[in-house]
Amino acid sequence: ETGVTQTPRHLVMGMTNKKSLKCEQHLGHNAMYWYKQSAKKPLELMFVYNFKEQTENNSVPSRFSPECPNSSHLFLHLHTLQPEDSALYLCASSQGLDREAPSGNTIYFGEGSWLTVV
Amino acid sequence: GNSVTQMEGPVTLSEEAFLTINCTYTATGYPSLFWYVQYPGEGLQLLLKATKADDKGSNKGFEATYRKETTSFHLEKGSVQVSDSAVYFCALSDRGGYSTLTFGKGTMLLVSP
């Protein structure tokens, strides 16, 4: 078990659909992240939540809507996506902002959700 | 801003060959450095990390040394196996609080029997 669980692992959706990706972490962390991995591109940070508060939004289009109801759960709501949004979406978690981290926090990833937009 | 540069792949090796994947970085301050591995069809797994200059991270026979003078964190393994075939990502994070990783583009390693 990875400690960070993502569902579904695979999702195919039409451009007019509304769907959600779910992430749950069992590591007692307080920061959670969404990353996007596209072919031949570096991993892109999308959103960061720290103690349920969104602290970063890297100019992500509004058709992606994150939700963090508590420190253990993170959602990514999807609506009216485009084919170029097809990618692997990775959830991750780490210690939160109130922890001393002189050595840098380690981020732990889930196995990802493969999204295909048709 | 921060950036990470990795050698382009794929790197193709025979089993038991020596592996080096180069990684250099640009950052302000004193970042922590990481290598992550992604096996086919899976997410990223932390392979090793180093948090200060001259630290050596090691795991599963892989090693990397944090070289501040050359701003490098090259990944090495003395004898690769077919099961090491994967994509390897070098990354850095700023110190303190929660972290946001800056990744390199990844280097695919293919090991043949």
Side-chain angles (χ1 to χ4, degrees), chain B residues 34-78:
Chain B
F34 303 82
W35 277 101
Y36 281 83
V37 58
Q38 186 176 32
Y39 297 103
E42 298 184 12
L44 274 71
Q45 300 176 28
L46 177 66
L47 180 60
L48 53 86
K49 69 175 185 179
T51 57
K52 60 183 187 295
D54 301 323
D55 265 4
K56 178 185 285 187
S58 62
N59 185 27
K60 298 181 181 179
F62 291 89
E63 292 184 340
T65 301
Y66 189 144
R67 301 287 188 200
K68 185 170 179 291
E69 64 277 12
T70 54
T71 62
S72 65
F73 192 55
H74 304 321
L75 183 68
E76 296 182 336
K77 186 175 186 182

